[in-house]
Amino acid sequence: MTGLDAIVVGQVARDLVLLVDEVPGPSGTAPVRCRRELLGGKGANQAVGLAQLGVRVGLLGVVGEDEVGDRLLGRARSDGIDVAPVLRRPDTPSALIVDVVDARAHWRYLEDIPEATLLSEADVTGAAEVLRAARAVVVQLQQPLPAALAATRYARDAGRLVVLDGAPDDPDGSAELLSRADVLRADAREAGLLLGGDPPKDAEAGLRAGRELAARGPALVAVEVAGEGNAFVWPGGELFVPLSETPTVDSTGAGDAFVAAVTAGLLRDDPYPRLARYAVAAAGATVGHPGGRPALTPEAIEAQLARIPDR
């Protein structure tokens, strides 16, 4: 069976992004400076990023049988994403995420994510052939653990590249997931959860966390050090890449662009040091605008690469 280059297993949602100067206090109001309504959710954001990077990508997620679901799927199709694997769930509204961002780039999320818009193990089993046929399977670990485990199992058994993003809500499932993974990307908080300690605070702590996580199975681990950069660890090598010098409007979606760029680089067989800088550049190309939707043009990434300090 001929498959896609990649399939993303994760959340699909309507994103409503609101920029304000200040978030009002109780009984207060604030004018909205900018409003964007987007295809969103971590799974969809990663699929958009992969499509922008030239990867033939599909999406496995859930939307409702409602008008919002129709619009989300139409937007995904226009982005070049294969939405045939997406499930339509009757009698449930599509997920909604409201991203309120103030002038200091501090975000607050209001989420209406009905349980029925999350993937079940049965949903993933129904898409097993699609997962087995893709060259890479990207699994967002905010989905329920049984669904994530099933996705990694089908991909691993077929010899596909398995990319994990995040940390499972149930820490007991992390050992099995990591044993099946080729790649793990964790932000600072997620790294702390996976290791049972504090988030890494500096480059050396990030690299140390990467080494500990790599010992559990993944060949490539990327760990965020918040406000500083990302630590990369692979067999026989490691590298800390600082953040690009880019003013941040909204950090939402930076991690999704990062995961998309890592996956695209691995599919191209890029060397790990080049892939690492490319992923950090992709994240930097996303923080300069409101909302999590990537904008990964070659020009944007090249501009970011030039802004990453050498260390």
Side-chain angles (χ1 to χ4, degrees), residues 109-132:
Y109 295 154
L110 305 174
E111 298 182 336
D112 179 21
I113 302 178
E115 186 175 353
T117 64
L118 300 174
L119 287 162
S120 69
E121 183 177 3
D123 295 332
V124 175
T125 297
E129 289 307 308
V130 177
L131 296 169
R132 292 188 183 109

Side-chain angles (χ1 to χ4, degrees), residues 20 36 67 77 97 111 156 167 171 173 189 212 221 248 281 292 300:
V20 297
R36 301 182 74 197
E67 183 182 353
R77 290 188 191 96
I97 301 171
E111 298 182 336
R156 169 59 64 206
R189 180 190 66 84
E212 292 182 38
V221 174
T248 298

Side-chain angles (χ1 to χ4, degrees), residues 4 21 25-26 39 68 74 83 109 133 144 186 205 209 219 254 274 295-296 305:
L4 298 160
D21 290 326
L39 167 67
V68 172
V83 296
Y109 295 154
R274 181 188 302 169
L296 303 182
L305 286 170

Side-chain angles (χ1 to χ4, degrees), residues 21-65:
D21 290 326
E22 294 284 345
V23 176
S27 304
T29 62
V32 173
R33 292 193 290 108
C34 176
R35 165 179 163 177
R36 301 182 74 197
E37 297 192 41
L38 308 165
L39 167 67
K42 286 184 70 65
N45 286 340
Q46 291 168 9
V48 168
L50 282 161
Q52 291 173 346
L53 295 172
V55 175
R56 295 184 304 115
V57 62
L59 179 60
L60 174 58
V62 182
V63 298
E65 286 187 348

Side-chain angles (χ1 to χ4, degrees), residues 6-296:
I7 184 162
V8 180
V9 180
Q11 187 68 52
V12 188
R14 175 192 176 204
D15 265 7
L16 175 59
V17 185
L18 305 174
L19 262 64
V20 297
D21 290 326
E22 294 284 345
V23 176
S27 304
T29 62
V32 173
R33 292 193 290 108
C34 176
R35 165 179 163 177
R36 301 182 74 197
E37 297 192 41
L38 308 165
L39 167 67
K42 286 184 70 65
N45 286 340
Q46 291 168 9
V48 168
L50 282 161
Q52 291 173 346
L53 295 172
V55 175
R56 295 184 304 115
V57 62
L59 179 60
L60 174 58
V62 182
V63 298
E65 286 187 348
D66 56 4
E67 183 182 353
V68 172
D70 292 340
R71 294 203 303 270
L72 294 176
L73 293 182
R75 175 72 253 192
R77 290 188 191 96
S78 68
D79 285 324
I81 299 167
D82 185 339
V83 296
V86 175
L87 295 103
R88 304 295 302 267
R89 200 85 84 196
D91 303 319
T92 191
S94 296
L96 169 67
I97 301 171
V98 180
D99 177 15
V100 182
V101 188
D102 66 23
R104 296 180 300 280
H106 296 154
W107 51 259
R108 296 163 178 85
Y109 295 154
L110 305 174
E111 298 182 336
D112 179 21
I113 302 178
E115 186 175 353
T117 64
L118 300 174
L119 287 162
S120 69
E121 183 177 3
D123 295 332
V124 175
T125 297
E129 289 307 308
V130 177
L131 296 169
R132 292 188 183 109
R135 293 176 59 202
V137 177
V138 183
V139 183
Q140 174 213 322
L141 297 184
Q142 289 182 341
Q143 293 294 300
L145 179 60
L149 286 170
T152 59
R153 182 174 63 250
Y154 292 126
R156 169 59 64 206
D157 289 350
R160 303 312 186 189
L161 178 73
V162 178
V163 179
L164 301 183
D165 174 35
D169 290 336
D170 181 355
D172 293 337
S174 63
E176 187 175 356
L177 283 166
L178 292 179
S179 71
R180 296 176 182 163
D182 297 292
V183 182
L184 170 69
R185 190 272 173 178
D187 66 22
R189 180 190 66 84
E190 292 160 346
L193 289 173
L194 286 165
L195 294 170
D198 294 329
K201 302 295 186 183
D202 56 30
E204 182 49 45
L207 290 167
R208 186 166 57 248
R211 292 183 212 114
E212 292 182 38
L213 291 167
R216 302 184 186 183
L220 174 64
V221 174
V223 172
E224 178 204 31
V225 177
E228 297 292 330
N230 290 268
F232 296 81
V233 175
W234 62 86
E238 59 185 43
L239 178 67
F240 186 82
V241 181
L243 299 178
S244 67
E245 297 174 350
T246 300
T248 298
V249 173
D250 182 5
S251 62
T252 303
D256 299 331
F258 185 103
V259 170
V262 166
T263 305
L266 289 169
L267 289 170
R268 292 192 303 263
D269 293 323
D270 284 354
Y272 286 134
R274 181 188 302 169
L275 178 153
R277 291 178 60 84
Y278 185 76
V280 173
T286 303
V287 301
H289 62 257
R293 178 182 172 84
L296 303 182

